[in-house]
Amino acid sequence: MGMAKRVSFMSGKFSVEPTVYAPTMWCMQNLKPNRMIRKLAQAAFLLALAACEPALDWRDMRAESLGLAVSFPCRPHDAERLLSLAGTKVNMKMLVCQAGGMSFSLAGADLADPSLVGLGLQQLGAALAGKLQAASAAASKPIASALQVRGMTPNDHAREIHIAGKGPEGQSLHVHAAVFAYGTKVYQAVVMTPKADAAAFDLFLTSLAPL
């Protein structure tokens, strides 16, 4: 309650005067009705956002197998596979995990020959785009742009790639990926999300650094 009544005796007559409590007076003086409504709406929006946004517990780690420092929002598991890249057989090592409905992966392989790095990056980017388009119904044309990762070896074929489409069950799917190199080692970082979330990919990518 913000209003009370005070009874006083003046000139032989009783009078009733309204008394406004200090908190209510402050609100009346400092918050106009429209401003009060805006502030309440903002508070409600922030509460709803906090309730709906999946919590990501980012943690720094040393990926010794890949020679990189990186942050994951979940505990990744190791995997590896043999593949042909730039005309040579390489062992691709990977770290993969899922959190908040999103998938994060980081993979790398050593080509051992600096002259193969550019071709290796081209093939990594093309293979990734082709695989994602084949797996995703109504996939958009890949959007590629220049890329800069902290400490990476400059290369014209380092790229950031974005593809939007549908998952196997018809759900919305957005893929942000990057291919880049440190010396003769080529890398691929991928974040798959049910909705466009460039912020999660940017945080993942900017955490990378050579050990």
Side-chain angles (χ1 to χ4, degrees):
M1 294 177 61
M3 190 76 69
K5 295 182 178 180
R6 181 176 63 199
V7 180
S8 62
F9 183 79
M10 298 178 61
S11 303
K13 295 182 180 180
F14 285 101
S15 65
V16 180
E17 302 173 2
T19 300
V20 180
Y21 290 130
T24 305
M25 179 64 77
W26 185 92
C27 288
M28 292 174 64
Q29 292 176 342
N30 294 278
L31 292 179
K32 303 294 185 182
N34 288 342
R35 186 179 173 189
M36 291 176 69
I37 292 171
R38 284 199 305 271
K39 286 194 173 291
L40 287 172
Q42 289 170 357
F45 172 77
L46 291 175
L47 286 172
L49 184 63
C52 296
E53 189 71 13
L56 296 179
D57 181 19
W58 292 92
R59 63 198 76 181
D60 297 332
M61 65 172 289
R62 291 171 60 88
E64 301 286 353
S65 62
L66 293 171
L68 295 179
V70 60
S71 290
F72 274 94
C74 38
R75 186 181 297 277
H77 65 267
D78 296 294
E80 59 181 77
R81 60 191 176 93
L82 190 66
L83 73 158
S84 179
L85 192 62
T88 185
K89 293 289 184 180
V90 295
N91 188 31
M92 178 74 80
K93 298 180 179 180
M94 295 172 281
L95 292 173
V96 184
C97 74
Q98 291 82 36
M102 297 181 276
S103 174
F104 298 80
S105 68
L106 177 64
D110 193 349
L111 292 173
D113 184 347
S115 67
L116 298 178
V117 172
L119 178 59
L121 290 176
Q122 279 184 293
Q123 292 181 351
L124 269 183
L128 176 64
K131 181 179 178 181
L132 293 173
Q133 284 188 299
S136 175
S140 65
K141 181 179 180 181
I143 300 174
S145 56
L147 174 73
Q148 182 61 48
V149 178
R150 181 173 33 161
M152 78 176 202
T153 302
N155 193 293
D156 291 341
H157 300 293
R159 286 288 182 270
E160 180 177 334
I161 304 165
H162 177 224
I163 298 174
K166 298 290 184 182
E169 297 180 0
Q171 74 275 26
S172 178
L173 180 66
H174 289 263
V175 181
H176 287 275
V179 292
F180 53 96
Y182 285 102
T184 59
K185 295 180 179 180
V186 292
Y187 294 91
Q188 172 183 288
V190 181
V191 176
M192 303 177 69
T193 63
K195 61 180 180 180
D197 194 340
F201 177 71
D202 289 344
L203 203 160
F204 186 48
L205 204 60
T206 55
S207 73
L208 295 169
L211 292 177

